[in-house]
Amino acid sequence: MDLLPGVRAAEVQGRVRTHYLESGPADGEPVVFVHGNLSTGRFFEHLMPGAPERWRILAPDMRGFGRTEPAPIDGTRGLGDWADDLVGFLDALGIDRPPHLVGWSTAGAAIALVARARPVASLTFLDPVSPYGFGGVFRDGRPCFPDFAGSGAGVANPEFVQRLRDGDRSEDSPLSPRTVMNATYWRAGHREPPAREDLLVDEILLTQITDDGYPGDAAPSEHWPGAAPGTRGLLNALSPKYCDWSWLPTLRDRPPVLWTHGGQDVVVADGSALELGTLGAGGVVPGWPGADVFPPQPMVSQIRDVLEAYRAARGRVEIEPFPDSGHGPHVDAADRWAATYWAFLESLR
């Protein structure tokens, strides 16, 4: 594996055999970058060479992704498997001091769960999934339908899943992994250098495409659009039926929080381009029952509501918008995001 200068790759046996990248001194203060859906630790690699020397930076591949041992994801635990894997990963490395955790997208829910399980030094939510999961809920988290129809693996695009399974590296279709990455991960028009883009596509294609990985299984529903969450795999773990971190303000020990959000994010948004309420309202998915029944999910507003409640409970919250960024400001505004993050950590000393 060709890595950037100063970056090392290794594996450690925790709850699962975990592949990870690392930089910085072995006795440095631990910082853990946790990737989201359809990505790996290498989506953070570029941040490592320029990081301040005091930090030991770790970027694991999470269960179901990358080079980590394939293992089933119990969707009914939300991101509980990921959270427990992270705790096991830290324990296997002998890290007993509270870590700084960064959770991108899906991993936002996982790092919140870690903070409920053990002391952490800080939480950084990097365009996280809503505190009420992805799809099919009103602003206060109530489900649009009692079986949470319209969320989970049953609403995944089958052509996109097949192209992942086939290892499609092209950009011949709007549903090829490369095209989807460039259209939804970054701001409009952003492209990584060709070699880096190829590398990231290859990392996406390491995804475990099964009912136990991505996208998961599904259940039929009498409600629109005809599918409800199953019990296995990542997209079910992200369903509001199982994914919830709205309890964050009730933490007894409230670590400092940083929330960074891309203003052009089409994945996590008040009206996400990937969510059934938005797709139904736009006529992309027929039969939409209307905004009174299944509104576009106000994801950013939900995040803000929970973090303002956290602040009201005397938790420290810093909010840093990236108006010109997409779902991954740590990539499409890498220098500014890195400067913001290291300054946040420095402010905690």
Side-chain angles (χ1 to χ4, degrees), residues 243-254:
C243 179
D244 177 30
W245 56 276
S246 63
W247 43 260
L248 193 77
T250 69
L251 284 177
R252 183 181 63 182
D253 299 318
R254 299 182 185 90

Side-chain angles (χ1 to χ4, degrees), residues 132-138 141-156 217-230 235-236 238-242 274-278 280 285 287-290 293-297:
Y132 300 107
F134 195 95
V137 290
F138 294 95
R142 288 177 298 117
C144 298
F145 298 118
D147 62 355
F148 293 84
S151 69
V155 301
D217 65 346
S221 174
E222 62 180 325
H223 304 292
W224 182 82
L235 293 191
N236 294 317
L238 285 168
S239 164
K241 186 173 184 178
Y242 307 118
L274 306 183
E275 190 266 329
L276 265 288
T278 303
V285 179
W288 181 56
V293 176
F294 201 114
Q297 183 183 351

Side-chain angles (χ1 to χ4, degrees), residues 75-341:
T76 67
R77 301 192 66 224
L79 274 295
D81 278 339
W82 275 25
D84 289 350
D85 289 349
L86 284 168
V87 172
F89 170 69
L90 293 168
D91 288 346
L93 291 175
I95 295 174
D96 56 6
R97 62 200 299 184
H100 297 275
L101 301 179
V102 179
W104 180 29
S105 193
T106 294
I111 66 168
L113 288 167
V114 173
R116 195 160 66 172
R118 62 173 288 170
V120 302
S122 70
L123 295 171
T124 294
F125 295 105
L126 172 51
D127 288 79
V129 63
S130 162
Y132 300 107
F134 195 95
V137 290
F138 294 95
R139 180 163 177 169
D140 61 3
R142 288 177 298 117
C144 298
F145 298 118
D147 62 355
F148 293 84
S151 69
V155 301
N157 186 292
E159 181 182 340
F160 175 63
V161 174
Q162 187 59 50
R163 286 177 177 271
L164 286 169
R165 184 178 286 113
D166 292 342
D168 179 7
R169 301 179 77 257
S170 76
E171 47 188 326
D172 296 340
S173 164
L175 293 172
S176 74
R178 184 185 301 270
T179 305
V180 169
M181 180 182 75
N182 286 321
T184 64
Y185 289 30
W186 331 129
R187 68 174 180 268
H190 177 82
R191 298 288 292 261
E192 287 291 281
R196 172 73 173 165
E197 181 176 296
D198 287 346
L199 182 153
L200 296 181
V201 171
D202 288 344
E203 293 294 300
I204 291 172
L205 293 175
L206 295 172
T207 300
Q208 181 183 344
I209 309 297
T210 67
D211 283 351
D212 287 317
Y214 182 91
D217 65 346
S221 174
E222 62 180 325
H223 304 292
W224 182 82
T231 61
R232 301 154 58 198
L234 187 75
L235 293 191
N236 294 317
L238 285 168
S239 164
K241 186 173 184 178
Y242 307 118
C243 179
D244 177 30
W245 56 276
S246 63
W247 43 260
L248 193 77
T250 69
L251 284 177
R252 183 181 63 182
D253 299 318
R254 299 182 185 90
V257 165
L258 172 65
W259 173 32
T260 63
H261 178 70
Q264 295 186 32
D265 190 346
V266 299
V267 178
V268 174
D270 284 356
S272 165
L274 306 183
E275 190 266 329
L276 265 288
T278 303
L279 294 171
V284 177
V285 179
W288 181 56
D292 291 343
V293 176
F294 201 114
Q297 183 183 351
M299 301 177 187
V300 174
S301 296
Q302 290 171 333
I303 296 167
R304 189 176 299 276
D305 289 346
V306 168
L307 293 185
E308 289 298 341
Y310 190 83
R311 178 180 279 153
R314 299 187 177 180
R316 174 178 169 179
V317 177
E318 303 291 335
I319 300 173
E320 187 69 29
F322 285 74
D324 298 326
S325 284
H327 189 54
H330 65 297
V331 174
D332 69 19
D335 290 345
R336 185 189 159 208
W337 190 90
T340 297
Y341 181 63

